[in-house]
Amino acid sequence: WIKALGPYLAGLGLKTRLLLGDATKKDNVAFIAPAAADVEAMKYVAAVAYHTWSKGPDEFRAWRDAARRLKLPLLATEVGTDAQAHQDGSYGTRHYFANELKMYQQLLLDGEVQAVLEWEYTKDYSIVDLKRGPDGKLLPTPTPRFYMIRQFASATPRPAIALDPAGNLYCVWE
């Protein structure tokens, strides 16, 4: 797919680069091996990416090591702890966020990810709801999940290197 889409986009004059992986299954670091070994495919890859569902520190380190071998940035492109939490709405609870916060810390410490992209921006797992105002226009309305994520992000000093699962901050100040 990468070898087909990369040249096609380049032929259109686009400088678009693709993600290697962006996968969710357990033990899926092996999933990227064929493309990672293909020199032609790798011309069009800018970063390694994975989803965090049902993963832990061992998988985070495996993805980190794969990205290091390829000398590419590592992205967590779907961050969440329970892919079924949308069914009962528990993704908006303090308990869910506490588990997710621990995972964020593990991602920073064990995964050394360069970016964490929250899942997701649609109705389930939303951080912003769209509601109609009195004039009928759509208004973005932050959900409790938005405020939980904002609190974590705003309480993390910059440039932070990692938070360990016990909550100890390891950082380097420039």
Side-chain angles (χ1 to χ4, degrees), residues 20-167:
L20 180 62
D22 202 24
T24 192
K25 295 178 184 168
K26 271 195 174 268
D27 304 322
N28 56 8
V29 173
F31 170 74
I32 67 170
D38 188 320
V39 176
E40 286 302 308
M42 291 305 293
K43 289 179 184 178
Y44 303 101
V45 173
V48 175
Y50 70 103
H51 305 180
T52 64
W53 305 109
S54 304
K55 290 182 179 59
D58 291 341
E59 289 97 350
F60 299 161
R61 287 187 291 271
W63 280 99
R64 175 202 64 202
D65 294 347
R68 282 180 178 173
R69 281 190 301 277
L70 295 168
K71 296 180 175 58
L72 290 171
L74 179 61
L75 313 175
T77 52
E78 272 190 30
V79 176
T81 59
D82 180 357
Q84 304 308 313
H86 68 283
Q87 294 176 350
D88 63 5
S90 62
Y91 63 85
T93 66
R94 289 181 185 161
H95 176 74
Y96 185 92
F97 187 66
N99 288 335
E100 196 168 48
L101 178 59
K102 181 180 176 186
M103 186 190 55
Y104 273 58
Q105 293 170 330
Q106 288 173 325
L107 279 169
L108 294 171
L109 185 63
D110 295 313
E112 298 177 16
V113 295
Q114 313 251 312
V116 175
L117 304 177
E118 186 59 40
W119 180 254
E120 68 182 70
Y121 302 108
T122 59
K123 188 151 179 69
D124 55 349
Y125 296 92
S126 63
I127 60 170
V128 177
D129 282 336
L130 291 176
K131 300 190 180 200
R132 295 226 178 254
D135 60 358
K137 291 184 180 178
L138 288 176
L139 301 173
T141 306
T143 65
R145 185 168 176 70
F146 169 85
Y147 291 107
M148 290 186 285
I149 293 166
R150 186 176 81 174
Q151 180 180 353
F152 176 69
S154 64
T156 302
R158 285 163 182 65
I161 301 302
L163 296 168
D164 72 15

